[in-house]
Amino acid sequence: MSTPVQAPAGQQPADAASRRAIWLSIAALAMTFMLPLAGLVMAAFAIMAGARAIPLLKTAGKPTGVAVGSIVVSSIALTLSALATAMQLYLMDEYSAYQECMKSAGTVSSQGDCFTQFREAAQKKLPPDVLDVLGSVQP
């Protein structure tokens, strides 16, 4: 019976840590666009995973590019999800009114009226350029 070939000490956990960090950061970026609050939490975990992977990679003599890349992607996801979450919290009353309007809207034109009401309410609360930057994004 032969013994299995093993990677040098520290190399396998370092590679796994860097892969884990990059996958968490990609998942955090995806979650940012679906559920911003979940993206916020996942991005924080991804930053921690990337930060923990760097010393492991350095001691194993491996390049740290993947771990640094995961920290960069996670930071972008963290920023975007924090902004989206803050916007949702700031416009919570307007969004609740929009949801109530959509529940009672029976036609496409009445749904369009609900969106128009939401947009007008948001314009009153936000600076004038913000909605122009966001374009015709529907909640």
Side-chain angles (χ1 to χ4, degrees):
M1 175 180 258
S2 63
T3 59
V5 178
Q6 293 183 356
Q11 187 173 353
Q12 194 173 20
D15 290 339
S18 66
R19 281 193 306 272
R20 184 180 320 115
I22 195 68
W23 281 113
L24 275 173
S25 65
I26 292 169
L29 191 60
M31 288 300 291
T32 295
F33 295 107
M34 292 184 285
L35 297 168
L37 190 58
L40 187 74
V41 173
M42 192 170 285
F45 283 124
I47 288 173
M48 288 187 288
R52 289 182 63 190
I54 290 175
L56 290 172
L57 289 167
K58 283 184 179 178
T59 57
K62 295 277 202 171
T64 59
V66 174
V68 171
S70 72
I71 292 173
V72 169
V73 171
S74 300
S75 299
I76 291 169
L78 185 73
T79 302
L80 290 175
S81 60
L83 289 172
T85 302
M87 183 72 80
Q88 285 180 344
L89 291 174
Y90 185 66
L91 295 175
M92 187 182 309
D93 295 333
E94 289 78 8
Y95 188 67
S96 295
Y98 172 76
Q99 285 179 327
E100 289 298 319
C101 181
M102 288 297 282
K103 285 180 185 176
S104 63
T107 64
V108 174
S109 65
S110 60
Q111 290 176 353
D113 293 338
C114 291
F115 178 70
T116 303
Q117 291 172 2
F118 171 77
R119 188 172 177 90
E120 289 171 357
Q123 281 177 338
K124 290 178 185 174
K125 205 167 186 181
L126 295 172
D129 297 337
V130 172
L131 289 177
D132 292 337
V133 170
L134 294 176
S136 62
V137 175
Q138 291 191 9

